[in-house]
Amino acid sequence: EFAANESLPDGRVVLEPARGLWAEFDRDHLRQVMWNLLRNAVRHARAEAGAVRIAARAFGDKVELNVIDNGPGVPQAIQGQLFEPFFTTDSKGTGLGLYLARELSAANGALLEYVAGSGGGHFRVVCRGGAAA
């Protein structure tokens, strides 16, 4: 849905297979969080197939949703400001996207964090959930 809405070429965003997972998260909130993370990832990734990956996995009573791009990643000097309201590196941005995504995650008992050192942009949502039995 995201790729079609944003008119992205086929294969730019890749969903890695993860069957039987469930997450305890308001559907509309999760959609808004993921939409924001994907929009940022596409903006910063190189324009090639597989530039943005969505990967999910379960561990214990948690599910981890990862949005990973092949761009330059976030410079260490600004990582501490990523989730502050009105902080942006985009001249057209409002600086509210990641802030609101983190707030929506927290409202659902989830954690949204930036994963440093992964060679590109990498954001992770950790929420209640698991693998279907």
Side-chain angles (χ1 to χ4, degrees), residues 50-67:
V52 176
R53 295 182 298 123
I54 303 168
R57 70 179 187 100
F59 58 99
D61 63 348
K62 303 283 185 202
V63 166
E64 190 178 275
L65 306 170
N66 297 277
V67 175

Side-chain angles (χ1 to χ4, degrees), residues 37-84:
L37 295 177
L38 288 166
R39 199 172 266 148
N40 284 346
V42 166
R43 182 171 47 246
H44 296 287
R46 293 189 303 267
E48 59 191 34
V52 176
R53 295 182 298 123
I54 303 168
R57 70 179 187 100
F59 58 99
D61 63 348
K62 303 283 185 202
V63 166
E64 190 178 275
L65 306 170
N66 297 277
V67 175
I68 306 160
D69 68 61
N70 66 359
V74 177
Q76 187 174 3
I78 64 170
Q79 288 176 14
Q81 298 172 279
L82 280 175
F83 299 102
E84 291 180 9

Side-chain angles (χ1 to χ4, degrees), residues 17-38:
R19 304 222 183 272
L21 298 183
W22 60 273
E24 194 174 299
F25 213 109
D26 178 272
R27 181 182 305 259
D28 291 330
H29 289 177
L30 183 57
R31 184 180 186 276
Q32 190 170 349
V33 168
M34 293 301 289
W35 210 272
N36 177 277
L37 295 177
L38 288 166

